[in-house]
Amino acid sequence: MVRYHDYFAYIFLLVACVHMALSLKLLEIRYVTIYATGAGVLLLVVALIIVVFVVAHIGVTVLSLKMYQKRVGEITFSEIDLRKVQNGIYRGEYDVGYISAEVVVTVKDGKFTDIELVEHKTERGKKAEVITEIMLAEQKIDVDAITGATNSSKVIRKSVEEAVKKGCKMNTK
């Protein structure tokens, strides 16, 4: 997933390269005059610094994308018997970097009575938000992901699981 600011980084890289090319051409054309004033060298140094920072930004973006993909791939779900969850209202959240979700889950008599999606940070997974209605209707966390929003579906489901686990822990005390 590429965030919008990454597109600006690519544009910035292109501008920096053009700046560097123009600086080099300027140095070639007016080598003596510019070299004597130091302006050409300054242009070249600035262009090189811009390129270094943009390349570093792209590298960090690629690294964070790989970490995000790894975290989503590592999401697993537990078998939770809702009948063993105490009546109550539980808050759960889950965050994998590019996507996060926070929910408030109400359980009564071993059933979901409400699943409220309090917050869902995403770029393209907005349509996954209906998964809370599906979990409520089917009375389980293990439901199919929403096509086209698989990662957001997983994160929302995991946040519901995290909330419900709190009710299970209270039961064991």
Side-chain angles (χ1 to χ4, degrees):
M1 173 186 303
V2 177
R3 292 179 163 228
Y4 295 111
H5 71 269
D6 295 334
Y7 293 120
F8 292 111
Y10 299 130
I11 293 168
F12 191 60
L13 176 63
L14 178 65
V15 169
C17 290
V18 169
H19 180 266
M20 190 166 65
L22 290 174
S23 297
L24 290 172
K25 190 65 177 168
L26 189 59
L27 280 172
E28 189 179 292
I29 294 171
R30 299 177 183 237
Y31 180 79
V32 176
T33 308
I34 292 176
Y35 185 74
T37 63
V41 174
L42 181 61
L43 283 174
L44 185 59
V45 169
V46 168
L48 288 173
I49 290 170
I50 289 170
V51 169
V52 167
F53 277 106
V54 171
V55 168
H57 175 74
I58 292 169
V60 168
T61 301
V62 168
L63 180 62
S64 70
L65 177 61
K66 288 183 186 280
M67 289 172 42
Y68 153 74
Q69 290 170 332
K70 182 178 184 235
R71 289 185 71 194
V72 169
E74 292 173 345
I75 294 176
T76 59
F77 297 94
S78 304
E79 291 280 331
I80 296 179
D81 184 354
L82 284 176
R83 294 173 296 178
K84 295 182 180 178
V85 179
Q86 281 189 338
N87 291 345
I89 299 172
Y90 306 101
R91 184 175 293 271
E93 54 187 47
Y94 202 74
D95 187 346
V96 293
Y98 286 97
I99 302 171
S100 66
E102 182 180 349
V103 296
V104 173
V105 178
T106 306
V107 177
K108 183 169 174 143
D109 299 326
K111 295 183 179 188
F112 290 130
T113 57
D114 188 36
I115 302 174
E116 178 189 353
L117 184 58
V118 176
E119 184 179 8
H120 179 216
K121 183 183 85 174
T122 185
E123 286 186 4
R124 299 181 298 180
K126 193 100 173 123
K127 61 183 174 178
E129 294 177 1
V130 299
I131 202 161
T132 57
E133 296 168 21
I134 296 169
M135 287 187 282
L136 190 60
E138 294 187 20
Q139 290 297 307
K140 61 182 182 177
I141 297 170
D142 187 20
V143 296
D144 291 336
I146 305 301
T147 304
T150 304
N151 293 347
S152 280
S153 297
K154 282 179 153 184
V155 170
I156 293 169
R157 286 178 52 214
K158 190 65 176 179
S159 66
V160 170
E161 179 184 280
E162 292 298 313
V164 172
K165 280 181 181 178
K166 293 174 183 173
C168 292
K169 287 179 184 173
M170 293 176 73
N171 237 353
T172 60
K173 292 181 180 177

Short mmCIF file of all heavy atoms in Angstrom, two decimals, residues 21-66:
data_model
loop_
_atom_site.label_atom_id
_atom_site.label_comp_id
_atom_site.label_asym_id
_atom_site.label_seq_id
_atom_site.Cartn_x
_atom_site.Cartn_y
_atom_site.Cartn_z
N ALA A 21 20.37 17.78 -12.95
CA ALA A 21 20.75 17.78 -14.36
C ALA A 21 20.96 19.20 -14.87
O ALA A 21 21.92 19.49 -15.58
CB ALA A 21 19.69 17.06 -15.19
N LEU A 22 20.04 20.09 -14.49
CA LEU A 22 20.18 21.49 -14.90
C LEU A 22 21.43 22.11 -14.28
O LEU A 22 22.14 22.88 -14.93
CB LEU A 22 18.94 22.30 -14.52
CG LEU A 22 17.69 21.99 -15.31
CD1 LEU A 22 16.50 22.75 -14.73
CD2 LEU A 22 17.87 22.32 -16.79
N SER A 23 21.69 21.78 -13.05
CA SER A 23 22.89 22.30 -12.38
C SER A 23 24.14 21.84 -13.10
O SER A 23 25.07 22.63 -13.32
CB SER A 23 22.94 21.84 -10.92
OG SER A 23 21.85 22.35 -10.22
N LEU A 24 24.17 20.58 -13.48
CA LEU A 24 25.34 20.05 -14.19
C LEU A 24 25.50 20.72 -15.55
O LEU A 24 26.61 21.06 -15.97
CB LEU A 24 25.23 18.53 -14.34
CG LEU A 24 25.40 17.74 -13.05
CD1 LEU A 24 25.08 16.27 -13.29
CD2 LEU A 24 26.79 17.90 -12.47
N LYS A 25 24.38 20.91 -16.25
CA LYS A 25 24.43 21.59 -17.56
C LYS A 25 24.91 23.02 -17.38
O LYS A 25 25.71 23.52 -18.16
CB LYS A 25 23.04 21.55 -18.21
CG LYS A 25 23.05 22.00 -19.64
CD LYS A 25 23.85 21.04 -20.49
CE LYS A 25 23.79 21.44 -21.95
NZ LYS A 25 24.75 20.72 -22.75
N LEU A 26 24.41 23.68 -16.34
CA LEU A 26 24.82 25.05 -16.05
C LEU A 26 26.31 25.12 -15.75
O LEU A 26 27.01 26.01 -16.21
CB LEU A 26 24.01 25.59 -14.86
CG LEU A 26 24.11 27.07 -14.54
CD1 LEU A 26 23.69 27.90 -15.74
CD2 LEU A 26 23.25 27.41 -13.34
N LEU A 27 26.78 24.14 -15.01
CA LEU A 27 28.22 24.09 -14.72
C LEU A 27 29.03 23.89 -16.00
O LEU A 27 30.09 24.48 -16.18
CB LEU A 27 28.53 22.95 -13.76
CG LEU A 27 28.27 23.22 -12.29
CD1 LEU A 27 28.43 21.95 -11.49
CD2 LEU A 27 29.21 24.29 -11.77
N GLU A 28 28.50 23.08 -16.89
CA GLU A 28 29.19 22.80 -18.14
C GLU A 28 29.25 24.06 -19.01
O GLU A 28 30.27 24.37 -19.61
CB GLU A 28 28.42 21.69 -18.86
CG GLU A 28 29.10 21.12 -20.07
CD GLU A 28 28.24 20.02 -20.65
OE1 GLU A 28 28.10 18.96 -20.00
OE2 GLU A 28 27.70 20.24 -21.76
N ILE A 29 28.13 24.79 -19.09
CA ILE A 29 28.06 25.97 -19.95
C ILE A 29 28.87 27.12 -19.37
O ILE A 29 29.62 27.78 -20.07
CB ILE A 29 26.58 26.41 -20.13
CG1 ILE A 29 25.82 25.34 -20.91
CG2 ILE A 29 26.50 27.74 -20.85
CD1 ILE A 29 24.32 25.56 -20.95
N ARG A 30 28.72 27.37 -18.11
CA ARG A 30 29.37 28.53 -17.50
C ARG A 30 30.33 28.09 -16.40
O ARG A 30 30.33 28.63 -15.32
CB ARG A 30 28.31 29.45 -16.91
CG ARG A 30 27.36 29.96 -17.96
CD ARG A 30 26.31 30.80 -17.30
NE ARG A 30 25.37 31.24 -18.29
CZ ARG A 30 25.08 32.48 -18.52
NH1 ARG A 30 25.64 33.43 -17.83
NH2 ARG A 30 24.21 32.80 -19.43
N TYR A 31 31.10 27.12 -16.69
CA TYR A 31 31.98 26.50 -15.71
C TYR A 31 32.82 27.52 -14.95
O TYR A 31 32.83 27.53 -13.73
CB TYR A 31 32.87 25.46 -16.39
CG TYR A 31 33.80 24.79 -15.42
CD1 TYR A 31 33.35 23.79 -14.59
CD2 TYR A 31 35.12 25.20 -15.33
CE1 TYR A 31 34.19 23.19 -13.69
CE2 TYR A 31 35.97 24.60 -14.42
CZ TYR A 31 35.50 23.59 -13.61
OH TYR A 31 36.35 23.00 -12.72
N VAL A 32 33.48 28.38 -15.64
CA VAL A 32 34.42 29.30 -14.98
C VAL A 32 33.69 30.30 -14.11
O VAL A 32 34.05 30.50 -12.95
CB VAL A 32 35.29 30.02 -16.05
CG1 VAL A 32 36.19 31.04 -15.39
CG2 VAL A 32 36.10 29.02 -16.83
N THR A 33 32.63 30.93 -14.62
CA THR A 33 31.92 31.95 -13.86
C THR A 33 31.27 31.35 -12.62
O THR A 33 31.42 31.89 -11.52
CB THR A 33 30.83 32.60 -14.74
OG1 THR A 33 31.41 33.03 -15.96
CG2 THR A 33 30.17 33.74 -14.03
N ILE A 34 30.56 30.24 -12.79
CA ILE A 34 29.85 29.65 -11.66
C ILE A 34 30.84 29.06 -10.66
O ILE A 34 30.67 29.19 -9.46
CB ILE A 34 28.85 28.60 -12.15
CG1 ILE A 34 27.74 29.29 -12.92
CG2 ILE A 34 28.27 27.80 -10.99
CD1 ILE A 34 26.75 28.37 -13.53
N TYR A 35 31.86 28.41 -11.15
CA TYR A 35 32.84 27.81 -10.25
C TYR A 35 33.50 28.88 -9.39
O TYR A 35 33.72 28.69 -8.21
CB TYR A 35 33.89 27.01 -11.02
CG TYR A 35 34.84 26.29 -10.10
CD1 TYR A 35 34.42 25.15 -9.40
CD2 TYR A 35 36.13 26.74 -9.91
CE1 TYR A 35 35.26 24.49 -8.55
CE2 TYR A 35 36.99 26.08 -9.05
CZ TYR A 35 36.55 24.96 -8.38
OH TYR A 35 37.40 24.31 -7.53
N ALA A 36 33.75 30.00 -10.03
CA ALA A 36 34.42 31.09 -9.30
C ALA A 36 33.51 31.63 -8.18
O ALA A 36 34.01 32.00 -7.12
CB ALA A 36 34.80 32.21 -10.26
N THR A 37 32.21 31.69 -8.41
CA THR A 37 31.31 32.21 -7.38
C THR A 37 30.88 31.13 -6.39
O THR A 37 30.35 31.43 -5.34
CB THR A 37 30.04 32.80 -8.02
OG1 THR A 37 29.34 31.75 -8.69
CG2 THR A 37 30.37 33.93 -8.97
N GLY A 38 31.04 29.88 -6.76
CA GLY A 38 30.64 28.79 -5.88
C GLY A 38 29.16 28.45 -5.99
O GLY A 38 28.70 27.50 -5.35
N ALA A 39 28.41 29.19 -6.80
CA ALA A 39 26.97 28.94 -6.93
C ALA A 39 26.70 27.58 -7.55
O ALA A 39 25.78 26.87 -7.14
CB ALA A 39 26.31 30.04 -7.75
N GLY A 40 27.49 27.21 -8.51
CA GLY A 40 27.31 25.92 -9.18
C GLY A 40 27.54 24.76 -8.23
O GLY A 40 26.79 23.79 -8.21
N VAL A 41 28.58 24.88 -7.43
CA VAL A 41 28.88 23.83 -6.46
C VAL A 41 27.76 23.76 -5.43
O VAL A 41 27.33 22.66 -5.04
CB VAL A 41 30.25 24.10 -5.77
CG1 VAL A 41 30.49 23.10 -4.66
CG2 VAL A 41 31.36 24.06 -6.80
N LEU A 42 27.26 24.89 -5.00
CA LEU A 42 26.16 24.92 -4.04
C LEU A 42 24.91 24.25 -4.63
O LEU A 42 24.25 23.46 -3.95
CB LEU A 42 25.85 26.36 -3.63
CG LEU A 42 24.73 26.54 -2.61
CD1 LEU A 42 25.11 25.82 -1.31
CD2 LEU A 42 24.47 27.99 -2.35
N LEU A 43 24.60 24.56 -5.90
CA LEU A 43 23.46 23.93 -6.56
C LEU A 43 23.61 22.41 -6.59
O LEU A 43 22.68 21.66 -6.31
CB LEU A 43 23.29 24.45 -7.99
CG LEU A 43 22.67 25.83 -8.15
CD1 LEU A 43 22.72 26.25 -9.62
CD2 LEU A 43 21.23 25.83 -7.68
N LEU A 44 24.79 21.96 -6.91
CA LEU A 44 25.06 20.54 -7.00
C LEU A 44 24.95 19.87 -5.62
O LEU A 44 24.34 18.81 -5.49
CB LEU A 44 26.46 20.30 -7.59
CG LEU A 44 26.83 18.86 -7.85
CD1 LEU A 44 25.85 18.21 -8.82
CD2 LEU A 44 28.25 18.77 -8.38
N VAL A 45 25.50 20.48 -4.61
CA VAL A 45 25.42 19.93 -3.25
C VAL A 45 23.97 19.85 -2.78
O VAL A 45 23.54 18.84 -2.23
CB VAL A 45 26.29 20.76 -2.28
CG1 VAL A 45 26.00 20.38 -0.83
CG2 VAL A 45 27.76 20.59 -2.60
N VAL A 46 23.21 20.91 -3.01
CA VAL A 46 21.80 20.91 -2.62
C VAL A 46 21.04 19.81 -3.36
O VAL A 46 20.24 19.09 -2.76
CB VAL A 46 21.16 22.30 -2.87
CG1 VAL A 46 19.64 22.24 -2.74
CG2 VAL A 46 21.75 23.33 -1.93
N ALA A 47 21.29 19.67 -4.64
CA ALA A 47 20.61 18.63 -5.42
C ALA A 47 20.96 17.24 -4.90
O ALA A 47 20.08 16.38 -4.77
CB ALA A 47 20.98 18.76 -6.89
N LEU A 48 22.20 17.01 -4.57
CA LEU A 48 22.62 15.72 -4.04
C LEU A 48 21.98 15.44 -2.68
O LEU A 48 21.55 14.31 -2.41
CB LEU A 48 24.14 15.63 -3.95
CG LEU A 48 24.86 15.51 -5.30
CD1 LEU A 48 26.37 15.61 -5.10
CD2 LEU A 48 24.49 14.23 -6.01
N ILE A 49 21.89 16.46 -1.85
CA ILE A 49 21.24 16.30 -0.55
C ILE A 49 19.77 15.95 -0.73
O ILE A 49 19.24 15.06 -0.05
CB ILE A 49 21.41 17.57 0.32
CG1 ILE A 49 22.88 17.70 0.75
CG2 ILE A 49 20.49 17.55 1.52
CD1 ILE A 49 23.22 19.02 1.42
N ILE A 50 19.10 16.62 -1.66
CA ILE A 50 17.69 16.33 -1.93
C ILE A 50 17.53 14.88 -2.37
O ILE A 50 16.64 14.18 -1.87
CB ILE A 50 17.14 17.30 -3.01
CG1 ILE A 50 17.02 18.71 -2.45
CG2 ILE A 50 15.79 16.81 -3.55
CD1 ILE A 50 16.71 19.76 -3.49
N VAL A 51 18.36 14.43 -3.27
CA VAL A 51 18.27 13.05 -3.76
C VAL A 51 18.48 12.06 -2.61
O VAL A 51 17.75 11.08 -2.48
CB VAL A 51 19.28 12.81 -4.91
CG1 VAL A 51 19.38 11.33 -5.24
CG2 VAL A 51 18.87 13.60 -6.14
N VAL A 52 19.46 12.31 -1.76
CA VAL A 52 19.74 11.42 -0.63
C VAL A 52 18.51 11.32 0.29
O VAL A 52 18.10 10.23 0.69
CB VAL A 52 20.99 11.87 0.15
CG1 VAL A 52 21.09 11.16 1.49
CG2 VAL A 52 22.24 11.64 -0.67
N PHE A 53 17.91 12.46 0.60
CA PHE A 53 16.75 12.44 1.50
C PHE A 53 15.55 11.76 0.85
O PHE A 53 14.82 11.02 1.52
CB PHE A 53 16.38 13.87 1.94
CG PHE A 53 17.20 14.35 3.09
CD1 PHE A 53 18.19 15.30 2.89
CD2 PHE A 53 17.00 13.86 4.37
CE1 PHE A 53 18.96 15.75 3.95
CE2 PHE A 53 17.76 14.30 5.43
CZ PHE A 53 18.75 15.25 5.23
N VAL A 54 15.34 11.97 -0.41
CA VAL A 54 14.20 11.33 -1.07
C VAL A 54 14.40 9.82 -1.16
O VAL A 54 13.47 9.05 -0.90
CB VAL A 54 13.96 11.96 -2.46
CG1 VAL A 54 12.94 11.17 -3.25
CG2 VAL A 54 13.51 13.40 -2.32
N VAL A 55 15.60 9.39 -1.49
CA VAL A 55 15.89 7.96 -1.55
C VAL A 55 15.71 7.33 -0.16
O VAL A 55 15.15 6.24 -0.03
CB VAL A 55 17.30 7.70 -2.12
CG1 VAL A 55 17.72 6.26 -1.94
CG2 VAL A 55 17.34 8.08 -3.61
N ALA A 56 16.15 8.02 0.87
CA ALA A 56 15.97 7.52 2.25
C ALA A 56 14.48 7.41 2.58
O ALA A 56 14.04 6.43 3.18
CB ALA A 56 16.68 8.44 3.24
N HIS A 57 13.71 8.40 2.17
CA HIS A 57 12.26 8.39 2.42
C HIS A 57 11.61 7.19 1.73
O HIS A 57 10.78 6.49 2.32
CB HIS A 57 11.64 9.69 1.91
CG HIS A 57 10.15 9.72 2.01
ND1 HIS A 57 9.47 9.86 3.19
CD2 HIS A 57 9.19 9.58 1.05
CE1 HIS A 57 8.18 9.84 2.97
NE2 HIS A 57 7.98 9.67 1.68
N ILE A 58 11.98 6.94 0.50
CA ILE A 58 11.43 5.80 -0.24
C ILE A 58 11.84 4.50 0.44
O ILE A 58 11.03 3.58 0.59
CB ILE A 58 11.86 5.84 -1.71
CG1 ILE A 58 11.19 7.03 -2.41
CG2 ILE A 58 11.52 4.54 -2.43
CD1 ILE A 58 11.74 7.33 -3.79
N GLY A 59 13.07 4.41 0.90
CA GLY A 59 13.54 3.22 1.60
C GLY A 59 12.75 2.95 2.86
O GLY A 59 12.35 1.82 3.13
N VAL A 60 12.51 4.00 3.65
CA VAL A 60 11.72 3.85 4.88
C VAL A 60 10.30 3.43 4.56
O VAL A 60 9.71 2.58 5.24
CB VAL A 60 11.76 5.16 5.70
CG1 VAL A 60 10.74 5.14 6.82
CG2 VAL A 60 13.15 5.39 6.25
N THR A 61 9.73 3.99 3.51
CA THR A 61 8.37 3.63 3.10
C THR A 61 8.28 2.16 2.71
O THR A 61 7.36 1.46 3.12
CB THR A 61 7.90 4.53 1.94
OG1 THR A 61 7.94 5.89 2.36
CG2 THR A 61 6.50 4.17 1.47
N VAL A 62 9.24 1.70 1.93
CA VAL A 62 9.24 0.30 1.52
C VAL A 62 9.40 -0.61 2.74
O VAL A 62 8.71 -1.62 2.87
CB VAL A 62 10.36 0.04 0.48
CG1 VAL A 62 10.57 -1.45 0.26
CG2 VAL A 62 10.04 0.74 -0.83
N LEU A 63 10.27 -0.23 3.66
CA LEU A 63 10.47 -1.02 4.88
C LEU A 63 9.20 -1.07 5.72
O LEU A 63 8.79 -2.14 6.19
CB LEU A 63 11.63 -0.45 5.70
CG LEU A 63 11.95 -1.19 6.99
CD1 LEU A 63 12.39 -2.61 6.70
CD2 LEU A 63 13.04 -0.45 7.75
N SER A 64 8.54 0.07 5.89
CA SER A 64 7.31 0.08 6.69
C SER A 64 6.21 -0.73 6.01
O SER A 64 5.40 -1.38 6.68
CB SER A 64 6.84 1.50 6.99
OG SER A 64 6.37 2.14 5.83
N LEU A 65 6.18 -0.72 4.69
CA LEU A 65 5.20 -1.52 3.95
C LEU A 65 5.45 -3.01 4.19
O LEU A 65 4.51 -3.77 4.44
CB LEU A 65 5.26 -1.20 2.46
CG LEU A 65 4.35 -2.01 1.54
CD1 LEU A 65 2.90 -1.80 1.92
CD2 LEU A 65 4.59 -1.64 0.10
N LYS A 66 6.70 -3.42 4.16
CA LYS A 66 7.02 -4.83 4.39
C LYS A 66 6.66 -5.24 5.82
O LYS A 66 6.15 -6.33 6.05
CB LYS A 66 8.50 -5.09 4.11
CG LYS A 66 8.84 -5.06 2.64
CD LYS A 66 10.30 -5.39 2.41
CE LYS A 66 10.66 -5.24 0.97
NZ LYS A 66 10.28 -6.36 0.14
#
